[in-house]
Amino acid sequence: MLAISLLSPPYATLSYATPAWLDISVWKCGQRVIVPLGKGGMLRAGIIVSIDDSSVKDGVVLKECLWPAEREPLLQPEYLAMVKQLALRHVVTEGEVLGGLLPAGLRTTKIRLRVLDGGKPRTMAMRDVANMSDIERCSLGVLWASNAVEVLDSTFDAEEQELCSLLEDPPWSVRPSAKRQIEVLDFLYDKGMLSRKRLLQELGSGVSAALNTLAERGLIRIGPREEGTCEACQDDDPECFFEADEGFVLYPEQQTVFDEFSALMHADGARSALLYGITGSGKTVVYLELAAEALANGRSVMLLAPEVALACKLEHAVHSRFPSQDCFFYNGYQSPTEREKTFRTLAERTAPCIIVGTRSALFLPSPTLGLIVLDEEHDTSFKQDEGLVYQAKEVAYYRAQQSNGLLLLGSATPDVKTFHAVQQKAVSMGVMRERAGEGELPEVSLLNIKNMKRADGILAAETKRQIRETVERGEQVVILLNRRGYSPLMYCLDCGQVARCPHCEVGLTYHKERERLICHYCGYSVTYPVVCSKCKGLHYLPMGEGTEKLEEYLAEILPPDTKILRLDRDSTRRPGKMQRILDAFANQEAQVLVGTQMLSKGHHFPNVTLAVVADGDLGLNLPDYRAAERTFQLLVQASGRAGRGEKAGRVLIQTRDPEHYCWQFVGSADYDGFYAEEIERRRKRKYPPFVKLALVRVSYPLDWRKGMEWVESLTEIARALGKEHNVRVLGHTPSPLPVLRGRKRFQWTLKSDGWVSIRTLYYAMRKAVPRGSKLRLSLDIDPVNML
DNA sequence: CCTATTAGGTCC
DNA sequence: GACCTAATAGGT
């Protein structure tokens, strides 16, 4: 009997009989197989998770497993153990975990068998095999046993390989009457690079002609991805100053830390360590030297960064340091084909190698890992909170432990939880407090803008003066504003109504370049001007500012020949665009760079002497116990942007809340001080790491009248069980975004001493909801994003 | 009383 | 997710 986890709905683990048409030795744990499901005999792909002869409960007649999708199993027992662990932890099925982890090509039933029995080669789909008589299947089984049948993997349609990407930014240079073309362009702008197939699927096959026209006129490119180029940086990174083929001379501080960690890596048992090094202290060099050591011991290395661009930098560094070493690059933005290829290659590989990528790379099968590095470990991107929920740090910890390797977390502003673990002696720590280059830490000053009127715009007079002076000196300025678009609120001048998203009840953001109002939560958009839903008026007053407006405003107040660049999600839609903007700024083609927080991470501009944080409080008012931590981390990272060259840098932070406790520490980048204060607050208010905290989210369609009843009865269940299991249940409360994508949303906050009781409670709540209900329930263990 | 729609439950 | 079945509303 085979226990098989299905890789698509219902994602259950079901038992199947071993069929007569194949020898029992064909079936192996971790193997991909094709099975029938339901009365219609639909086909599903699954993974064998165990093989035994225990029986199922009475009345269930086992179906037979149809055919293996491969001869040797894709997944090793350790991998399956990890999947099981994740499923238990997040109270989901193994099928849901596997379905969320495997590249699309490894989850499909669309494989074909090729029969080479001496006659004319035949190929057949799995459907054909299912329709055969038992006798035919048996003879096919004989051929399989004699290796006369091979599996042809779902060669994706040619259309799947034709990737469409934009070559221009909005506004589009097409006739306004070309509705189809505009539809395609807007869609690509929103979703990024897409295959022709998906495009036709989503927009209807009617857009086919529009696609061709656009390609001909050079507005889009259709074709396979160019080999060897990566999404984020299309050419060589100017910062790759690593000498090929030899190690570095480490600074004394780096050497000390390296020696400590190297000893740790060779020790036995579970080991995790924190590399606490200020910005510019040269953490990457330490990672690479440790990697060299792991490889020398015949063990593989994983290097993970919070986002693609940073992972890309790491990859360049790896290539320079280890020119002849196999290095695999993996991230969620690669095409399914590309990801599948890497997954398969690594599943078979036994020789040590280096894997570089973002959080999703953590789920690649790999040869025994000696070292896993999470750079910028405090970054919230390491948590996936949509679809399959996981915290990369925990998965990394598990994998490191499983393979007896070292987990190394690196940051200048560690996660409070991680630092607490260091204090508890659960994690070792190495400290680097010196900048490896010349640069001195910048001088940080706060600017109180509490009394500034809205009409004055977002920059205080003093800020404007400093920006102007810096530009006039021929130096560069970086300005951070965590709000993209032109203006986040549009007031109707006739009735005072704010333009809102019909699906989410949040204000629509005006994007001037595209002449559109856009919902930043669900992507809904309408062309501007639009009639007011209440009074049918057409006159709006844009209130508040986003990066687009700030860029425009700066052009007005700065000398006319000043070049200004903008870096946010809108200006970087096209592949390679982000790198081009960063390069242009690094080459001093512009004096000012305006951007959202994507700018604060890891980039390095020697001539920047002033960094301005336009709205320092933006994060502080979020309904999240980590608001202060987040703000502190962001601002210290941002401060690191100024003064990385020879000239001294200054950082100017505008705030309406200068009394807040986090500012005194931001100024001197005093992490230790901040930590001491923050941990005391958490102890007093009973927040993690002193309790386990989870969020149960629920949502239902706006028009479903029974929804509220259900939520109320779930609260009762939670309360009753909470008392019994010593879990504090707060809620139900409307989510911070009470309506999203046309669904009403509520949440419960659960606090407890242990995860087990929280899971028990959630499990009971979910059991109360019938499957297939309009109610969607999900558990977020240790949420990173309270929205 | 018949049929179109929908809510609930199962899939091994 | 797709499909089957039972329950229900709405129409004749």
Side-chain angles (χ1 to χ4, degrees):
Chain A
M1 194 185 82
L2 308 168
I4 295 169
S5 291
L6 304 181
L7 302 177
S8 52
Y11 294 111
T13 301
L14 303 175
S15 307
Y16 284 86
T18 49
W21 52 82
L22 283 164
D23 189 83
I24 192 149
S25 66
V26 160
W27 311 106
K28 290 158 187 162
C29 269
Q31 192 175 32
R32 289 184 304 138
V33 293
I34 309 298
V35 295
L37 179 74
K39 296 218 170 118
M42 298 276 299
L43 296 180
R44 285 289 132 99
I47 299 274
I48 301 180
V49 291
S50 76
I51 302 176
D52 57 40
D53 43 29
S54 65
S55 59
V56 278
K57 58 179 172 220
D58 292 343
V60 178
V61 185
L62 294 193
K63 283 199 167 78
E64 290 158 312
C65 184
L66 182 65
W67 212 266
E70 57 205 4
R71 284 180 190 276
E72 291 309 316
L74 178 74
L75 307 175
Q76 297 307 306
E78 299 80 50
Y79 197 93
L80 290 178
M82 174 182 76
V83 169
K84 193 165 200 169
Q85 199 50 46
L86 264 167
L88 283 172
R89 184 169 169 78
H90 292 105
V91 201
V92 292
T93 64
E94 288 169 59
E96 282 169 300
V97 175
L98 285 162
L101 243 81
L102 298 180
L106 298 170
R107 286 184 269 133
T108 161
T109 57
K110 293 190 180 81
I111 54 163
R112 297 175 67 79
L113 296 183
R114 189 178 164 79
V115 183
L116 305 148
D117 54 353
K120 195 174 150 218
R122 297 168 284 146
T123 70
M124 57 191 79
M126 276 301 135
R127 186 76 264 162
D128 304 327
V129 179
N131 292 341
M132 283 176 182
S133 69
D134 277 4
I135 297 160
E136 285 174 295
R137 262 198 295 267
C138 280
S139 49
L140 189 62
V142 173
L143 290 169
W144 175 269
S146 61
N147 285 328
V149 178
E150 61 177 9
V151 177
L152 302 179
D153 285 297
S154 61
T155 40
F156 282 110
D157 311 56
E159 280 167 340
E160 191 76 50
Q161 291 294 341
E162 291 182 66
L163 290 168
C164 306
S165 56
L166 289 171
L167 292 173
E168 258 191 36
D169 283 323
W172 314 120
S173 55
V174 295
R175 290 195 318 276
S177 59
K179 270 189 78 180
R180 274 277 142 89
Q181 296 187 19
I182 292 170
E183 193 186 354
V184 170
L185 291 167
D186 278 336
F187 197 78
L188 280 175
Y189 186 81
D190 283 343
K191 304 276 159 90
M193 200 190 287
L194 280 177
S195 70
R196 185 192 199 110
K197 188 172 180 189
R198 276 247 350 245
L199 219 46
L200 293 180
Q201 260 171 20
E202 308 243 359
L203 298 174
S205 47
V207 297
S208 179
L211 268 179
N212 294 336
T213 320
L214 287 170
E216 245 168 64
R217 297 198 31 219
L219 275 100
I220 62 171
R221 195 185 89 92
I222 305 179
R225 187 190 300 268
E226 291 148 50
E227 275 299 319
T229 58
C230 74
E231 179 101 6
C233 42
Q234 298 219 312
D235 36 34
D236 290 335
D237 193 315
E239 278 180 55
C240 276
F241 45 78
F242 297 92
E243 291 288 317
D245 226 357
E246 28 188 293
F248 291 90
V249 181
L250 297 175
Y251 287 91
E253 230 185 3
Q254 290 174 327
Q255 185 67 50
T256 313
V257 169
F258 170 79
D259 290 341
E260 271 171 48
F261 289 165
S262 156
L264 214 53
M265 199 159 64
H266 292 119
D268 261 333
R271 291 138 297 147
S272 322
L274 169 68
L275 173 48
Y276 168 34
I278 63 165
T279 37
S281 59
K283 293 190 279 288
T284 311
V285 177
V286 177
Y287 303 153
L288 291 177
E289 291 313 305
L290 284 167
E293 195 133 310
L295 290 167
N297 284 317
R299 326 214 32 222
S300 294
V301 176
M302 242 184 214
L303 294 172
L304 304 179
E307 52 163 278
V308 184
L310 296 179
C312 215
K313 279 192 164 192
L314 271 181
E315 196 210 4
H316 285 299
V318 166
H319 275 310
S320 318
R321 175 63 181 82
F322 308 102
S324 54
Q325 182 69 47
D326 285 336
C327 175
F328 297 89
F329 188 66
Y330 190 89
N331 68 69
Y333 293 99
Q334 289 170 325
S335 76
T337 342
E338 214 169 340
R339 277 188 281 166
E340 184 184 335
K341 201 174 133 204
T342 312
F343 200 102
R344 279 180 191 280
T345 313
L346 282 165
E348 284 169 23
R349 190 177 170 105
T350 49
C353 61
I354 303 184
I355 299 167
V356 180
T358 53
R359 59 170 188 245
S360 54
L362 230 121
F363 295 111
L364 288 167
S366 76
T368 317
L369 289 166
L371 174 69
I372 303 179
V373 176
L374 265 71
D375 193 23
E376 307 292 347
E377 65 96 28
H378 62 277
D379 199 291
T380 54
S381 305
F382 279 121
K383 170 87 192 270
Q384 173 144 79
D385 46 17
E386 273 182 4
L388 177 67
V389 173
Y390 62 87
Q391 166 67 50
K393 227 180 287 178
E394 277 156 14
V395 181
Y397 176 77
Y398 178 88
R399 288 203 73 167
Q401 202 168 35
Q402 195 180 44
S403 60
N404 232 338
L406 172 68
L407 168 63
L408 180 56
L409 307 169
S411 178
T413 52
D415 189 337
V416 167
K417 228 176 130 182
T418 307
F419 211 73
H420 185 251
V422 170
Q423 314 266 282
Q424 303 291 307
K425 310 261 185 263
V427 172
S428 338
M429 179 165 76
V431 185
M432 301 202 298
R433 291 187 191 275
E434 283 161 33
R435 278 196 158 184
E438 266 90 294
E440 285 297 308
L441 276 175
E443 172 200 324
V444 179
S445 45
L446 278 186
L447 196 63
N448 186 356
I449 53 163
K450 205 170 176 175
N451 301 320
M452 233 168 78
K453 289 188 219 85
R454 291 229 174 253
D456 298 341
I458 199 167
L459 298 180
E462 169 67 11
T463 313
K464 284 186 255 187
R465 190 180 62 79
Q466 291 209 22
I467 294 174
R468 212 175 297 128
E469 282 176 12
T470 310
V471 170
E472 277 161 6
R473 275 200 305 273
E475 294 162 2
Q476 288 178 297
V477 186
V478 163
I479 305 175
L480 266 116
L481 176 61
N482 238 341
R483 233 183 278 124
R484 63 195 176 89
Y486 189 82
S487 91
L489 283 175
M490 292 297 274
Y491 277 99
C492 171
L493 280 175
D494 300 321
C495 68
Q497 183 99 335
V498 177
R500 289 179 186 282
C501 170
H503 310 298
C504 307
E505 285 189 354
V506 293
L508 291 171
T509 301
Y510 174 43
H511 286 240
K512 198 173 185 183
E513 274 177 6
R514 294 178 67 197
E515 286 298 310
R516 274 177 170 272
L517 300 180
I518 299 172
C519 171
H520 282 182
Y521 293 95
C522 75
Y524 167 86
S525 76
V526 278
T527 48
Y528 180 85
V530 66
V531 290
C532 171
S533 60
K534 198 172 163 195
C535 69
K536 311 285 176 234
L538 269 170
H539 310 287
Y540 285 95
L541 174 69
M543 289 281 285
E545 353 208 309
T547 45
E548 245 184 81
K549 188 168 179 183
L550 186 54
E551 182 188 16
E552 187 184 280
Y553 178 67
L554 285 165
E556 284 168 23
I557 62 159
L558 292 175
D561 56 339
T562 313
K563 277 277 285 171
I564 301 167
L565 287 170
R566 178 166 59 92
L567 189 83
D568 55 28
R569 227 157 74 209
D570 302 300
S571 63
T572 55
R573 300 272 168 164
R574 279 162 48 200
K577 189 71 194 287
M578 169 149 136
Q579 200 56 41
R580 247 170 292 152
I581 294 175
L582 290 170
D583 288 349
F585 191 64
N587 295 332
Q588 304 195 37
E589 288 163 36
Q591 291 79 55
V592 182
L593 180 59
V594 179
T596 53
Q597 62 175 319
M598 65 195 289
L599 209 141
S600 64
K601 291 177 192 171
H603 310 294
H604 187 294
F605 311 108
N607 199 40
V608 168
T609 54
L610 176 64
V612 174
V613 179
D615 196 347
D617 320 306
L618 209 58
L620 281 179
N621 304 317
L622 290 175
D624 192 322
Y625 71 91
R626 266 171 299 200
E629 180 183 352
R630 245 359 107 48
T631 306
F632 177 81
Q633 283 159 348
L634 178 70
L635 294 181
V636 171
Q637 296 282 331
S639 308
R641 294 319 108 212
R644 295 194 71 158
E646 287 148 25
K647 293 171 212 147
R650 257 170 321 137
V651 179
L652 194 58
I653 300 173
Q654 301 195 137
T655 171
R656 291 177 196 281
D657 187 9
E659 314 297 312
H660 198 284
Y661 70 91
C662 92
W663 298 124
Q664 64 187 102
F665 307 113
V666 170
S668 45
D670 175 11
Y671 178 81
D672 303 77
F674 173 78
Y675 171 79
E677 174 86 29
E678 180 69 16
I679 200 77
E680 268 325 301
R681 282 169 184 265
R682 298 219 186 151
R683 195 194 306 276
K684 269 189 210 125
R685 299 187 189 168
K686 296 220 170 6
Y687 274 115
F690 302 104
V691 286
K692 308 293 183 205
L693 190 146
L695 213 59
V696 176
R697 289 180 236 265
V698 68
S699 75
Y700 57 84
L702 270 175
D703 55 7
W704 195 45
R705 306 192 59 208
K706 281 194 200 160
M708 201 56 226
E709 263 173 59
W710 270 105
V711 172
E712 275 159 10
S713 72
L714 283 173
T715 300
E716 271 170 45
I717 294 174
R719 287 260 164 80
L721 268 152
K723 222 168 252 171
E724 190 181 324
H725 288 94
N726 211 11
V727 179
R728 275 194 68 192
V729 179
L730 303 155
H732 55 277
T733 47
S735 302
L737 289 168
V739 178
L740 189 65
R741 298 170 221 265
R743 298 177 71 87
K744 197 107 189 72
R745 305 162 84 233
F746 291 91
Q747 62 189 25
W748 294 270
T749 305
L750 308 184
K751 282 186 185 179
S752 168
D753 290 335
W755 291 122
V756 181
S757 51
I758 286 179
R759 279 195 280 268
T760 313
L761 214 138
Y762 173 69
Y763 187 71
M765 289 170 84
R766 224 190 41 184
K767 274 202 107 175
V769 180
R771 267 184 67 74
S773 157
K774 287 180 181 165
L775 218 52
R776 282 214 284 260
L777 211 56
S778 69
L779 174 69
D780 191 342
I781 295 265
D782 208 5
V784 135
N785 185 349
M786 302 289 263
L787 299 182

